[in-house]
Tab-separated table of all heavy atoms in Angstrom:
chain	number	residue	atom	x	y	z
S	1	GLN	N	64.696	146.272	87.876
S	1	GLN	CA	65.097	145.194	86.987
S	1	GLN	C	64.181	145.184	85.771
S	1	GLN	O	62.959	145.058	85.905
S	1	GLN	CB	65.047	143.842	87.690
S	1	GLN	CG	65.621	142.711	86.858
S	1	GLN	CD	65.857	141.460	87.679
S	1	GLN	OE1	65.181	141.222	88.677
S	1	GLN	NE2	66.817	140.660	87.260
S	2	ALA	N	64.773	145.336	84.602
S	2	ALA	CA	64.050	145.278	83.346
S	2	ALA	C	64.141	143.868	82.780
S	2	ALA	O	65.072	143.120	83.104
S	2	ALA	CB	64.620	146.288	82.357
S	3	PRO	N	63.195	143.474	81.910
S	3	PRO	CA	63.250	142.134	81.318
S	3	PRO	C	64.571	141.883	80.607
S	3	PRO	O	65.034	142.705	79.824
S	3	PRO	CB	62.080	142.150	80.330
S	3	PRO	CG	61.132	143.156	80.890
S	3	PRO	CD	62.004	144.218	81.488
S	4	GLY	N	65.185	140.747	80.899
S	4	GLY	CA	66.431	140.379	80.273
S	4	GLY	C	67.660	141.085	80.797
S	4	GLY	O	68.757	140.882	80.268
S	5	LYS	N	67.510	141.900	81.824
S	5	LYS	CA	68.629	142.631	82.395
S	5	LYS	C	68.776	142.293	83.877
S	5	LYS	O	67.836	141.848	84.526
S	5	LYS	CB	68.437	144.138	82.226
S	5	LYS	CG	68.362	144.611	80.786
S	5	LYS	CD	68.172	146.110	80.694
S	5	LYS	CE	69.372	146.862	81.238
S	5	LYS	NZ	69.198	148.345	81.086
S	6	GLU	N	69.968	142.513	84.395
S	6	GLU	CA	70.200	142.262	85.807
S	6	GLU	C	69.694	143.428	86.644
S	6	GLU	O	69.516	144.551	86.162
S	6	GLU	CB	71.684	142.013	86.075
S	6	GLU	CG	72.584	143.193	85.778
S	6	GLU	CD	74.051	142.861	85.971
S	6	GLU	OE1	74.385	141.661	85.984
S	6	GLU	OE2	74.861	143.795	86.118
S	7	ARG	N	69.457	143.158	87.908
S	7	ARG	CA	68.996	144.189	88.820
S	7	ARG	C	70.056	145.264	89.000
S	7	ARG	O	71.247	144.967	89.094
S	7	ARG	CB	68.648	143.555	90.169
S	7	ARG	CG	68.014	144.502	91.161
S	7	ARG	CD	67.680	143.755	92.443
S	7	ARG	NE	68.876	143.253	93.089
S	7	ARG	CZ	68.887	142.324	94.038
S	7	ARG	NH1	67.738	141.781	94.439
S	7	ARG	NH2	70.031	141.936	94.572
S	8	GLU	N	69.622	146.512	89.042
S	8	GLU	CA	70.546	147.614	89.220
S	8	GLU	C	70.051	148.550	90.317
S	8	GLU	O	68.851	148.694	90.537
S	8	GLU	CB	70.735	148.394	87.915
S	8	GLU	CG	69.474	149.053	87.394
S	8	GLU	CD	69.712	149.871	86.147
S	8	GLU	OE1	70.881	150.180	85.835
S	8	GLU	OE2	68.721	150.207	85.462
S	9	SER	N	70.977	149.178	90.984
S	9	SER	CA	70.628	150.155	91.996
S	9	SER	C	70.186	151.451	91.334
S	9	SER	O	70.686	151.820	90.271
S	9	SER	CB	71.803	150.408	92.938
S	9	SER	OG	72.929	150.890	92.233
S	10	VAL	N	69.262	152.147	91.970
S	10	VAL	CA	68.716	153.393	91.445
S	10	VAL	C	69.024	154.560	92.375
S	10	VAL	O	69.576	155.577	91.952
S	10	VAL	CB	67.202	153.284	91.217
S	10	VAL	CG1	66.623	154.618	90.756
S	10	VAL	CG2	66.895	152.187	90.204
S	11	ALA	N	68.651	154.430	93.634
S	11	ALA	CA	68.839	155.501	94.605
S	11	ALA	C	68.856	154.915	96.008
S	11	ALA	O	68.163	153.933	96.284
S	11	ALA	CB	67.736	156.551	94.493
S	12	ILE	N	69.641	155.520	96.889
S	12	ILE	CA	69.776	155.059	98.268
S	12	ILE	C	69.851	156.272	99.183
S	12	ILE	O	70.494	157.274	98.842
S	12	ILE	CB	71.036	154.187	98.455
S	12	ILE	CG1	70.993	152.973	97.526
S	12	ILE	CG2	71.178	153.743	99.907
S	12	ILE	CD1	72.317	152.247	97.411
S	13	ILE	N	69.223	156.169	100.341
S	13	ILE	CA	69.333	157.203	101.361
S	13	ILE	C	69.794	156.549	102.663
S	13	ILE	O	69.229	155.555	103.106
S	13	ILE	CB	68.010	157.982	101.542
S	13	ILE	CG1	68.196	159.124	102.539
S	13	ILE	CG2	66.865	157.062	101.947
S	13	ILE	CD1	67.046	160.133	102.515
S	14	LYS	N	70.862	157.089	103.260
S	14	LYS	CA	71.419	156.547	104.482
S	14	LYS	C	70.434	156.732	105.646
S	14	LYS	O	69.650	157.689	105.644
S	14	LYS	CB	72.752	157.223	104.794
S	14	LYS	CG	73.565	156.609	105.921
S	14	LYS	CD	74.987	157.148	105.918
S	14	LYS	CE	75.799	156.590	107.077
S	14	LYS	NZ	75.465	157.274	108.348
S	15	TRP	N	70.509	155.856	106.605
S	15	TRP	CA	69.551	155.835	107.707
S	15	TRP	C	69.410	157.183	108.415
S	15	TRP	O	68.306	157.538	108.850
S	15	TRP	CB	69.920	154.752	108.727
S	15	TRP	CG	71.254	154.975	109.393
S	15	TRP	CD1	72.475	154.559	108.950
S	15	TRP	CD2	71.476	155.669	110.620
S	15	TRP	NE1	73.456	154.954	109.823
S	15	TRP	CE2	72.867	155.640	110.862
S	15	TRP	CE3	70.652	156.308	111.536
S	15	TRP	CZ2	73.445	156.234	111.980
S	15	TRP	CZ3	71.211	156.893	112.657
S	15	TRP	CH2	72.597	156.853	112.863
S	16	ASP	N	70.511	157.929	108.527
S	16	ASP	CA	70.470	159.223	109.195
S	16	ASP	C	70.266	160.383	108.225
S	16	ASP	O	70.286	161.541	108.640
S	16	ASP	CB	71.729	159.447	110.022
S	16	ASP	CG	73.008	159.399	109.204
S	16	ASP	OD1	72.929	159.256	107.971
S	16	ASP	OD2	74.097	159.496	109.795
S	17	GLY	N	70.094	160.101	106.949
S	17	GLY	CA	69.869	161.123	105.951
S	17	GLY	C	71.101	161.905	105.549
S	17	GLY	O	70.987	162.858	104.765
S	18	GLU	N	72.277	161.532	106.032
S	18	GLU	CA	73.496	162.303	105.805
S	18	GLU	C	74.077	162.137	104.408
S	18	GLU	O	74.854	162.982	103.960
S	18	GLU	CB	74.560	161.938	106.839
S	18	GLU	CG	74.256	162.459	108.233
S	18	GLU	CD	74.261	163.971	108.284
S	18	GLU	OE1	75.198	164.589	107.756
S	18	GLU	OE2	73.312	164.539	108.866
S	19	SER	N	73.723	161.068	103.715
S	19	SER	CA	74.248	160.875	102.372
S	19	SER	C	73.227	160.129	101.518
S	19	SER	O	72.364	159.417	102.036
S	19	SER	CB	75.579	160.120	102.399
S	19	SER	OG	75.442	158.855	103.010
S	20	GLN	N	73.365	160.303	100.212
S	20	GLN	CA	72.497	159.646	99.244
S	20	GLN	C	73.326	159.121	98.088
S	20	GLN	O	74.426	159.598	97.826
S	20	GLN	CB	71.435	160.604	98.713
S	20	GLN	CG	70.463	161.112	99.761
S	20	GLN	CD	69.458	162.083	99.191
S	20	GLN	OE1	69.425	162.341	97.991
S	20	GLN	NE2	68.609	162.621	100.052
S	21	TYR	N	72.796	158.146	97.405
S	21	TYR	CA	73.405	157.582	96.215
S	21	TYR	C	72.387	157.600	95.083
S	21	TYR	O	71.207	157.303	95.299
S	21	TYR	CB	73.858	156.135	96.470
S	21	TYR	CG	74.086	155.335	95.211
S	21	TYR	CD1	75.334	155.312	94.596
S	21	TYR	CD2	73.048	154.605	94.631
S	21	TYR	CE1	75.538	154.590	93.440
S	21	TYR	CE2	73.250	153.885	93.472
S	21	TYR	CZ	74.491	153.878	92.882
S	21	TYR	OH	74.693	153.165	91.731
S	22	TYR	N	72.857	157.946	93.882
S	22	TYR	CA	72.029	157.866	92.685
S	22	TYR	C	72.828	157.242	91.557
S	22	TYR	O	74.013	157.547	91.387
S	22	TYR	CB	71.548	159.242	92.231
S	22	TYR	CG	70.573	159.899	93.166
S	22	TYR	CD1	71.002	160.832	94.108
S	22	TYR	CD2	69.223	159.588	93.114
S	22	TYR	CE1	70.110	161.431	94.971
S	22	TYR	CE2	68.319	160.191	93.976
S	22	TYR	CZ	68.771	161.106	94.899
S	22	TYR	OH	67.877	161.704	95.755
S	23	ALA	N	72.182	156.384	90.806
S	23	ALA	CA	72.798	155.877	89.595
S	23	ALA	C	72.980	157.020	88.603
S	23	ALA	O	72.171	157.948	88.546
S	23	ALA	CB	71.933	154.786	88.980
S	24	ASP	N	74.053	156.958	87.812
S	24	ASP	CA	74.309	158.015	86.840
S	24	ASP	C	73.134	158.218	85.887
S	24	ASP	O	72.853	159.344	85.466
S	24	ASP	CB	75.568	157.695	86.036
S	24	ASP	CG	76.840	157.851	86.840
S	24	ASP	OD1	76.812	158.520	87.893
S	24	ASP	OD2	77.874	157.306	86.412
S	25	SER	N	72.440	157.145	85.566
S	25	SER	CA	71.361	157.210	84.596
S	25	SER	C	70.138	157.978	85.099
S	25	SER	O	69.285	158.365	84.293
S	25	SER	CB	70.936	155.801	84.181
S	25	SER	OG	70.501	155.053	85.301
S	26	VAL	N	70.040	158.200	86.409
S	26	VAL	CA	68.866	158.874	86.961
S	26	VAL	C	69.205	160.180	87.662
S	26	VAL	O	68.282	160.883	88.109
S	26	VAL	CB	68.086	157.962	87.926
S	26	VAL	CG1	67.766	156.631	87.263
S	26	VAL	CG2	68.855	157.741	89.228
S	27	LYS	N	70.468	160.537	87.765
S	27	LYS	CA	70.857	161.771	88.442
S	27	LYS	C	70.196	162.979	87.785
S	27	LYS	O	70.186	163.110	86.566
S	27	LYS	CB	72.375	161.937	88.430
S	27	LYS	CG	73.104	161.031	89.390
S	27	LYS	CD	74.609	161.261	89.336
S	27	LYS	CE	75.331	160.358	90.328
S	27	LYS	NZ	76.807	160.508	90.236
S	28	GLY	N	69.653	163.845	88.617
S	28	GLY	CA	68.968	165.024	88.124
S	28	GLY	C	67.523	164.800	87.775
S	28	GLY	O	66.792	165.774	87.527
S	29	ARG	N	67.087	163.536	87.732
S	29	ARG	CA	65.699	163.217	87.391
S	29	ARG	C	64.943	162.567	88.551
S	29	ARG	O	63.747	162.809	88.707
S	29	ARG	CB	65.647	162.286	86.180
S	29	ARG	CG	66.276	162.872	84.921
S	29	ARG	CD	65.997	161.996	83.705
S	29	ARG	NE	66.580	160.667	83.845
S	29	ARG	CZ	65.884	159.534	83.835
S	29	ARG	NH1	64.552	159.565	83.679
S	29	ARG	NH2	66.493	158.369	83.954
S	30	PHE	N	65.625	161.734	89.327
S	30	PHE	CA	64.995	161.011	90.434
S	30	PHE	C	65.462	161.586	91.761
S	30	PHE	O	66.611	162.027	91.893
S	30	PHE	CB	65.360	159.529	90.397
S	30	PHE	CG	64.777	158.741	89.258
S	30	PHE	CD1	64.158	159.357	88.185
S	30	PHE	CD2	64.857	157.349	89.268
S	30	PHE	CE1	63.625	158.625	87.138
S	30	PHE	CE2	64.332	156.606	88.235
S	30	PHE	CZ	63.717	157.237	87.164
S	31	THR	N	64.591	161.531	92.767
S	31	THR	CA	64.916	161.978	94.110
S	31	THR	C	64.384	160.976	95.124
S	31	THR	O	63.209	160.620	95.086
S	31	THR	CB	64.322	163.359	94.407
S	31	THR	OG1	64.781	164.312	93.440
S	31	THR	CG2	64.738	163.831	95.799
S	32	ILE	N	65.254	160.531	96.030
S	32	ILE	CA	64.833	159.650	97.110
S	32	ILE	C	64.646	160.477	98.373
S	32	ILE	O	65.411	161.405	98.648
S	32	ILE	CB	65.847	158.503	97.330
S	32	ILE	CG1	65.290	157.476	98.319
S	32	ILE	CG2	67.201	159.027	97.779
S	32	ILE	CD1	66.118	156.200	98.405
S	33	SER	N	63.626	160.152	99.135
S	33	SER	CA	63.355	160.840	100.388
S	33	SER	C	62.636	159.883	101.324
S	33	SER	O	62.178	158.813	100.905
S	33	SER	CB	62.518	162.102	100.162
S	33	SER	OG	61.254	161.781	99.618
S	34	LYS	N	62.541	160.258	102.588
S	34	LYS	CA	61.808	159.419	103.530
S	34	LYS	C	61.064	160.270	104.541
S	34	LYS	O	61.449	161.397	104.843
S	34	LYS	CB	62.733	158.432	104.236
S	34	LYS	CG	63.799	159.051	105.123
S	34	LYS	CD	64.563	157.960	105.861
S	34	LYS	CE	65.588	158.538	106.809
S	34	LYS	NZ	66.239	157.466	107.619
């Protein structure tokens, strides 16, 4: 969440690691892992 903006999702990893989600704005730059 940036000042003056609403909260947005960035990246998600499913509990079993089978799928991930990335916002279009961060694809190719950010990586989620656990």
Side-chain angles (χ1 to χ4, degrees):
Q1 187 167 28
K5 298 180 65 178
E6 64 184 19
R7 186 178 63 196
E8 63 177 344
S9 60
V10 176
I12 302 167
I13 184 166
K14 189 167 178 282
W15 63 272
D16 59 4
E18 288 295 313
S19 59
Q20 297 178 4
Y21 161 90
Y22 292 97
D24 288 342
S25 59
V26 308
K27 286 181 179 177
R29 300 189 298 120
F30 291 11
T31 303
I32 188 170
S33 62
K34 64 175 183 175

